[in-house]
Amino acid sequence: MLEDKKQERTSLEQLGEFGLIEHLTQHFTLKQPSTLLGIGDDAAVLNFEGKKTVVTTDLLIEGVHFDLSYMPLKHLGYKAVMVNLSDVYAMNATPSQLTVSIAVSNRFPLEALEELYAGIQLAATSYGVDVIGGDTTSSQTGMLISITALGTVIEEDITYRSGAKPNDLLVVSGDVGGAYMGLQVLEREKEVFKVNPNNQPDLEPYSYIVERQLKPEARKDIIELLKQLKVQPTSMIDISDGLSSEILHLCKHGKTGCNLFEDKIPLDPTVISACEEFKIDSTLVALSGGEDYELLFTISQGDFPKIKGNPHLTVIGHMTEASEGAHLVTRGDSKIPLTAQGWNSFASE
C-alpha cells in the first residue's frame, strides 16, 4: 500500500547528515522580513522589532500519531506543519518561522524524505512561513518528526486560554468530528486491505472527512476574519484533543463553568452519515474525536452582533460561574457534566 517496490531508493548513508539537510532544504526560500539568516549556520538569526514572540512545538511519532499505511508522506509533512501553526493561531498570533527535526530508520530512502519535505515546503509556502533550521538523525523505531513554530503578535492582541468570563459566548470555527470519522474510514480500509491486497477502496463518498484527517488546514482565515470584524476573543484554544477536552481547558484556566448546547454543535452532513454507518453517536464524536484543528474561543456578548450569521462561526454555548460546572445541554434539555474523553497519547491500548 505504501511502497512501490520498483521505485528508486537512495540510501541516506550516501549523503551523510549535513548533505541530507542541504539536499532536503535546498528549495526553501525566505519570505519573512524578520528572518535575517535561516539555514546554513550554527543558528538562525531573527529580528521581531518590538513584537511579542510565541513559540510552540509538537512531536509526532510513527505508530502513535500517524500510520504510514494510509498517510502519504507528503500529507504527513503538510499536517505536521499545520498542527504547529494551529497552536500559533490559537494565541491570536501570526506564524513566521519553523524548525523541522526528523529521525528516521534505514527503511526510509532519500526519496521518501523528499516527499515528506515537499509537504512541509507546500505548507510553509502556503502560509508564508520560513523554515529556518532543524536536525536529522537515525531512529531504531521508524519515523519521528518534531516541529517548532514561532510567531509574532502585538501584546494587546495575545489571547490566552485564561481570559473567559461568565456570560461570555462560546464560539467554534468550521465544523467538528470530521477528522475522527476520516480516521475510522481509513482504519477500516486498512483492515480490508490486509485481507485482500487487491481491493481498491472507494473513498470518494468520504473525501471530505478523509481530507480532514490527512490534510487539515490551520485556521489562518479565522484570525484574519476576527481582525476584520474587530472582535477580540477573550480566550482561545485550538481543537486538537476533542471539543469537550478543550472547553474544559478554557473553564479551568478562566475559572468558569460552561453550558454547551448539543443542538448547536456544527456537524458536516458527511460526518453525520458516517456516524450512522459506523453506528457511533455523532455528539460523542464531536466531543471526543479531536484533530479538527478548528479554533474554539470566547467573546463578550457585546461582540455577538459582529459575528451573528457568519457562516464560518457558530455560537455553541456560554460560560457560567465556576460553581455551576461545565455541562452539555442535550437536545432533550437535560444537563450532563462535560468530561474530557479526548485523545490521550499515554492511554493504554
Side-chain angles (χ1 to χ4, degrees), residues 101-243:
S101 295
I102 58 167
V104 286
S105 63
N106 58 12
R107 74 183 166 94
F108 291 95
L110 175 64
E111 288 74 18
L113 298 194
E114 286 174 339
E115 279 292 292
L116 179 76
Y117 271 71
I120 291 168
Q121 185 180 1
L122 177 62
T125 304
S126 302
Y127 284 74
V129 176
D130 290 342
V131 177
I132 57 163
D135 194 17
T136 62
T137 189
S138 61
S139 151
Q140 302 298 313
T141 54
M143 180 180 283
L144 297 85
I145 307 169
S146 177
I147 292 187
T148 297
L150 293 89
T152 59
V153 59
I154 56 173
E155 189 161 9
E156 51 267 34
D157 285 350
I158 301 175
T159 307
Y160 298 100
R161 294 179 178 184
S162 56
K165 299 280 182 285
N167 299 320
D168 278 359
L169 300 176
L170 185 64
V171 185
V172 70
S173 67
D175 54 80
V176 290
Y180 180 81
M181 291 315 296
L183 182 62
Q184 301 317 298
V185 169
L186 291 165
E187 288 283 354
R188 180 181 69 185
E189 296 307 328
K190 177 186 172 181
E191 294 308 312
V192 170
F193 179 82
K194 280 183 191 169
V195 177
N196 179 9
N198 297 319
N199 184 60
Q200 283 299 314
D202 177 18
L203 295 177
E204 185 56 41
Y206 308 104
S207 58
Y208 177 70
I209 57 177
V210 166
E211 184 157 315
R212 293 286 280 174
Q213 171 59 223
L214 296 183
K215 191 177 176 282
E217 298 289 345
R219 296 308 303 259
K220 173 186 184 182
D221 58 319
I222 297 299
I223 297 305
E224 291 167 350
L225 175 67
L226 292 173
K227 283 191 171 63
Q228 284 166 16
L229 298 174
K230 295 188 167 53
V231 172
Q232 171 72 31
T234 52
S235 68
M236 186 153 55
I237 192 169
D238 77 324
I239 303 176
S240 52
D241 299 332
L243 186 59

